[in-house]
Every structure is written in C-alpha cells, then in structure tokens.
Amino acid sequence: MQEKISFPAKALAVIDQSIQNISFGEIVLIVQDGHIIQIERTEKIIISSQKNFRQEKKNTEEINLLRKKILGELSHLQYGQLVVKIKDGKAVQIEKTEKRRFPEVEGVYGDGI
C-alpha cells in the first residue's frame, strides 16, 4: 500500500496562485522521489484577447476542484512531471509524464536501456 504523500505549503500556494492568475499558458510540476522539486509557470499573452488585461476572479470551488485533481495525479507520481494547460482562464488539459528506471536491466555491452 502506498503511503499518502504530502506537499509543502509553499508549493501548494504557488499552484493556487498560478491557477488563479494565468489566463493562457501552463504550469509544469517536476517530481522526484515523490516530491515536487520544481514548478515552472509559462504565461502567454494573447494580444487580441481582452481577458489578459482584465483578470476575472476564479471562484474558490473551481480552484479547490482543480487543486484536488492535480494533487490526486501527483500522489501516484514518483518521477516525472505534470503539465496543466490553461486556456481562457480554465484548465483544459493535464498531461502526466512518468519516468521509471530499471537498474537491473542492462544492454549487451553493460550499458543501460
């Protein structure tokens, strides 16, 4: 049975702030040994869109729901990354890339996979 993973309050605050403030872009959470070690935020500014210039406040229920989904995906991730894509102020996609290492697998000449 896998133990419940907790995330630092600072990481959760950055996730919440990013969800709240980005209109177009993505949030990338890098995970190593089951811990968030890096967060990247990329915001795109769409010149033809007026939504970039007047931020619409997202309600707490929306933020909590998305945060719960993100933490659920992260809780099973030991190595890899989670990318949350945001368009028009809404999370439209979550991509999870999981890395697995097989130390017992060796190639013909002693090299890895």
Side-chain angles (χ1 to χ4, degrees):
M1 186 165 144
Q2 192 174 14
E3 63 184 64
K4 185 173 179 170
I5 298 173
S6 64
F7 299 102
K10 184 177 181 179
L12 298 177
V14 171
I15 292 169
D16 288 347
Q17 180 187 21
S18 299
I19 292 168
Q20 180 66 42
N21 295 331
I22 295 177
S23 293
F24 296 91
E26 60 186 29
I27 307 163
V28 180
L29 306 163
I30 312 293
V31 178
Q32 186 172 346
D33 290 326
H35 301 288
I36 299 172
I37 61 163
Q38 183 175 324
I39 299 175
E40 300 172 6
R41 294 184 297 194
T42 305
E43 184 171 7
K44 298 175 184 176
I45 298 172
I46 310 298
I47 302 301
S48 62
S49 172
Q50 295 302 313
K51 291 200 178 205
N52 286 313
F53 304 107
R54 57 178 171 82
Q55 286 287 337
E56 293 179 12
K57 196 86 169 156
K58 295 180 183 79
N59 66 33
T60 354
E61 189 176 317
E62 262 184 295
I63 293 172
N64 288 338
L65 186 63
L66 182 55
R67 180 189 204 203
K68 191 178 204 178
K69 179 70 176 160
I70 290 170
L71 294 179
E73 293 294 330
L74 286 173
S75 67
H76 302 292
L77 190 61
Q78 284 298 307
Y79 297 93
Q81 69 181 18
L82 195 74
V83 179
V84 180
K85 300 206 179 233
I86 299 172
K87 290 187 181 172
D88 205 15
K90 305 265 188 228
V92 294
Q93 183 172 319
I94 295 178
E95 298 174 1
K96 181 164 75 170
T97 304
E98 185 174 2
K99 296 182 180 182
R100 295 186 183 180
R101 296 198 172 99
F102 304 103
E104 64 277 351
V105 177
E106 289 189 14
V108 176
Y109 302 105
D111 53 344
I113 296 176

